[in-house]
Amino acid sequence: MATDALAEAGCYFDDLNQLRALEPDVSQKTAELKEDCKDFLDKIAQFLKIIGGLVDLVDELANETEREKLKALGTRNLLKLVAKQREAQLQQLSALIAEKMMQLKRYRVEYETLAKVEAEQNEFMNQYILQK
């Protein structure tokens, strides 16, 4: 009877006979909810830890990808430079070959001219010797 009067006033006794303002099953559900919230917070903390590790891994992979990308760009630029150097060297060698061919042509003309002069001088000397 006293318990019913207290219940109507919103006061209850728990298992330890302490006066409470909540009903025992509401108090129990509140404790369960508190425990569930604690478990949820623990799981969220664990999730955030896993996500943090994943973000770090993705950042590391992004940095490595960027390094490899820069390395590939450097290699491509180096290959372009080598190709340009080879093209310039080929042009220089072609110009040198053309110059040497012109020089060879001049030497041949000069040789033919000198051979002709030598033949004429030999002919002149032979005629001069024969006249004496």
Side-chain angles (χ1 to χ4, degrees), residues 59-104:
D59 286 344
E60 184 179 324
L61 288 174
N63 289 337
E64 185 176 339
T65 302
E66 189 66 26
R67 281 192 304 271
E68 290 298 322
K69 177 182 165 186
L70 291 175
K71 185 177 175 183
L73 285 173
T75 302
R76 183 173 63 184
N77 289 340
L78 182 62
L79 287 174
K80 284 181 181 179
L81 178 64
V82 167
K84 286 180 181 179
Q85 287 175 341
R86 283 187 181 167
E87 183 66 31
Q89 186 179 21
L90 180 64
Q91 288 177 353
Q92 287 176 345
L93 291 175
S94 296
L96 183 61
I97 288 172
E99 181 183 329
K100 294 297 180 180
M101 292 298 286
M102 290 297 294
Q103 189 177 18
L104 177 63

Side-chain angles (χ1 to χ4, degrees), residues 25-61:
D25 47 323
V26 172
S27 179
Q28 181 184 357
K29 288 182 181 180
T30 302
E32 289 175 5
L33 182 60
K34 181 179 177 183
E35 193 63 32
D36 289 346
C37 287
K38 183 180 178 291
D39 291 343
F40 178 74
L41 288 175
D42 290 343
K43 288 180 182 179
I44 290 293
Q46 185 180 9
F47 176 74
L48 290 175
K49 183 178 177 182
I50 291 170
I51 292 300
L54 181 63
V55 167
D56 291 343
L57 179 64
V58 169
D59 286 344
E60 184 179 324
L61 288 174

